[in-house]
Amino acid sequence: MTAAMPALAQDTEGAQKDDGNIIIVTAQFREQNIQDTPLAITAVTADMIEAKSQTNLAQVADAAPNVAIRPQGASFGPSVTASIRGVGQNDFNPAFEPGVGIYIDDVYYPQLTGAIFDLLDVERVEILRGPQGTLTGRNSAGGAIKFYSRKPTGDNTGFLEATYGSRNRIGLRGAADFGFTDNLFMRVSGVFKEQDGYVDRIDYGCAFPNSGIPSTNSGAADCVLSELGGTGYQAVRGILRWEPSDRFEATLSADYVKDDRTIAGEVLLNTGPVPAPNTAVNGVELSNQFICGPFCNYATTGQPAITWQPALNVAPPGNPPFYIDPLGAAGTPLAATSGNDRSIYEGWGVSLNMVLDISDNVQLTSITGYREFDTEFYTDDDLTPINTNFGRNFLSNESFSQELRLNIEPADGINITVGGYYFEQDSVYDSFQDIRYVSVFPLQFRQPDPTAAEAIAVFGNIGWELTDRLTVNAGVRYTDESKDQTYFRLNLDGTINPFLDPLGAINGAGTPGALTGNTASYSADKLDYRVAVDYRWSDALLTYISVSTGFKGGGSNPRPFNAAQLIPFNPEKVTAFEAGFKSDFADNRVRLNGAVFMNDYTDLQIPVSACPTAPCAARLNAGDAEVWGIELEFVAEPVDGLNIDAAVSYIDQELKTSSLNPAATNPSVEISPGVFGTNPAGVVPTDPPAVPQWKFNAGIQYKADLGGSGSITPRLDLAYQDKQYTGPTTLNGVRTLNFMPSFTTLNGRLTWRNANEDLSVSLEVTNITDEYYFLSRFNLLGAGAGFDKALPAAPREWALTVRKDF
């Protein structure tokens, strides 16, 4: 159901037809009224995005039931976590698949890095909830999110928009639409955003000169080194549209994005024991004395050179302590690590969409896309001057996709789509890790690991109106995919690290049993299907039932510290059952849509933060699960000018036990053939879902006509999110469940428009109540890293925006 308010929807091409109460979507390969589509869809138009002061994808997702897209903390760079109905991904590594498909003008965006998209000149955003295995393909097990840009029309229009606000916020937006000829049009749009951060990075030695921690000599009177969580975003897009005849249309799009800012501003919540002597600074160890406050931390940008020592063990009474050093690594020199507190993303893409009407009943569509990006970020995970670990991360990615669709209407009421899809991706995650909290052996290494992926699919879908009230939609998609990841564990001089890869160091890269130079290969094929039946009881009410499948691809552990940690994981598969209704009543002034669903998962993928003999960040297939939930969306215009919208959702799950031992607090699982180890994720069947169980949002606005002076529109938006489970921590045999607390936010906007509605001035205030809440949490206490940290949302902000339409 749409979250857009009918009175605000304007007559933009492809988004509205006939009147503002109708929104056209293309979820089933053809244009349909959203109220005639047997899917749970939230479609948000450009006007609603502006009314809610939304500027990026995460803010749009906040208004959709059972959808969560959040920016990640500094350890994961410029990436997001994305989930729909409890299915998604929280790790940017290209070896993992997202679980939520993201599409820009029908071109698949394959990574979570850079996916906090700015809503630059969009026509609408469609959020499809539930598996989209047949309609959008692989990695849409939770659902899919689709951006549609405004197409050029050649009407010589445009707009300019300027914003100034809290923390020196500066924003500029603009677009121009013009025609070269009567059949060749172009639209150019751009955005520039800057804002200071809201989390202070403080020089601890400067703030506490008697602590024993040396100062970095910042020169700042307040000891603030930088402000984290800032904004530095710029993007430009050009779209060229050619219509040489009424039967052929070609649209060429190109865009460029540069995101250069300080890293995410995290705060330290808790610390734990770090059993390694290599982390202390002048005898000062990691402790809660480094918890700074709600909006500050003591992160550094490097670690000094040291001589590595193993953990000190306590001997029996009367004997001196001794070191545990089975590998004889004591005395190994570790180089100094240096970096900065910046996060940089640079990407560009080009796509070509061609539509040919072969006849009145046959249409061929070709969608070609190419995209690449490079990102660079640095992270001091513990947020303190204590030297537990520091990372320098570089990720490059390029992808190409080609899709062909043939739409056929052989008779009235029958719509058939058949097609094929090809996708390939190459990425290199090149990081240097300096991890000093591990006491068994030194962990200072470089891992320039390339990953190559490929997928081929064929699909078909039919919509058949059996009667003027009863419609059946059915589809299938066959996908064959593969992925190869090659591993390297090197010293800074390019030689093979002997502690991580002893066989490789002795016998050379690529030898049997070595980690360096060896490739983990994954391949799988899957047949997905979908059947939906809907019945229109009247013009005011449609009901539907559906069953659909989807999957998220498998692979191999991308972060092994030795060859024993090459842990494969299988695809995660889901079969979903859904029943819903879509209704319009009170002379189309009220819209109420709802759905209930049950998702049956096989080989559920869960994250693991430790593996045999060392930490890691792997995935395990934890078994099967059932997830069920309810969603309701409401839109009303009780009187002209007054608009109300609301959405509420609930979700729950039950984990099954095909590969976990339900009686164990820390289950033992087979993590690779013949290799058993403890699963530190500690997943048990009673664990709650890793998404908010309850979610609610509501908005209200009234457009007051001021006659010749224009109009004024006040708006308020309220959002509530239940506490969110972020996983367990097991310390000293005690298992603790971690949560991010629930929160409620209130946003407001006051907009004046002139009588011609081509000039507007808006004052917005976000987080009016100054609620303190978290967007993400990262707890590595159970892995021995000694920290538990979180990313707080920004405090209350205001902004003034002036917009002129031409």
Side-chain angles (χ1 to χ4, degrees), residues 53 169 746-748 764-770 795-798:
S53 304
R169 175 180 169 183
L746 182 66
N747 298 334
E764 66 179 75
V765 181
T766 55
N767 196 5
I768 293 174
T769 59
D770 208 18
R796 179 172 52 237
E797 298 181 6
W798 65 269

Side-chain angles (χ1 to χ4, degrees), residues 495-754:
T495 59
I496 298 176
N497 187 297
F499 302 107
L500 299 177
D501 191 7
L503 287 178
I506 296 172
N507 300 322
T511 57
L515 181 58
T516 300
N518 277 323
T519 299
S521 296
Y522 153 82
S523 63
D525 60 351
K526 181 74 167 57
L527 181 68
D528 284 311
Y529 64 88
R530 172 179 176 262
V531 177
V533 179
D534 64 80
Y535 187 81
R536 181 159 289 285
W537 300 88
S538 67
D539 291 342
L541 178 64
L542 175 116
T543 58
Y544 68 90
I545 57 173
S546 68
V547 57
S548 58
T549 66
F551 77 100
K552 180 170 67 173
S556 182
N557 176 20
R559 297 185 179 96
F561 289 98
N562 51 55
Q565 292 185 357
L566 284 178
I567 305 168
F569 58 95
N570 295 321
E572 177 182 286
K573 300 177 283 292
V574 58
T575 301
F577 304 89
E578 182 175 324
F581 68 91
K582 301 192 174 188
S583 63
D584 295 277
F585 50 93
D587 197 23
N588 286 334
R589 285 187 175 272
V590 179
R591 173 170 293 176
L592 179 64
N593 292 353
V596 295
F597 64 89
M598 194 279 283
N599 294 346
D600 190 2
Y601 288 94
T602 304
D603 288 334
L604 188 71
Q605 296 174 6
I606 62 167
V608 174
S609 58
C611 298
T613 72
C616 68
R619 288 292 184 273
L620 296 179
N621 295 109
D624 304 336
E626 287 183 356
V627 176
W628 57 91
I630 301 174
E631 300 163 348
L632 286 173
E633 292 182 283
F634 171 83
V635 175
E637 187 184 11
V639 297
D640 291 347
L642 176 63
N643 299 104
I644 304 169
D645 63 272
V648 63
S649 59
Y650 174 80
I651 194 170
D652 205 349
Q653 73 174 21
E654 177 185 353
L655 294 175
K656 300 179 182 179
T657 56
S658 61
S659 19
L660 296 178
N661 178 1
T665 345
N666 217 4
S668 180
V669 297
E670 187 175 16
I671 57 177
S672 62
V675 177
F676 287 81
T678 299
N679 169 19
V683 176
V684 297
T686 55
D687 282 351
V691 291
Q693 287 196 287
W694 284 100
K695 186 179 177 184
F696 169 78
N697 64 272
I700 184 171
Q701 75 176 45
Y702 180 73
K703 182 178 181 181
D705 190 353
L706 303 179
S709 299
S711 65
I712 189 166
T713 306
R715 178 176 178 88
L716 285 175
D717 285 285
L718 178 74
Y720 167 79
Q721 179 174 296
D722 201 358
K723 66 179 181 179
Q724 182 171 348
Y725 179 59
T726 58
T729 297
T730 301
L731 286 174
N732 301 320
V734 178
R735 185 175 186 268
T736 304
L737 303 185
N738 301 306
F739 292 88
M740 290 192 296
S742 63
F743 60 86
T744 303
T745 59
L746 182 66
N747 298 334
R749 185 181 179 100
L750 182 66
T751 301
W752 170 84
R753 290 184 178 87
N754 67 352

Side-chain angles (χ1 to χ4, degrees), residues 25 64 164 168 378 421 490 569 641 698 770 777:
V25 296
Y164 181 78
N168 295 317
Y378 303 81
Y421 178 77
L490 308 176
F569 58 95
D770 208 18
R777 184 175 178 179

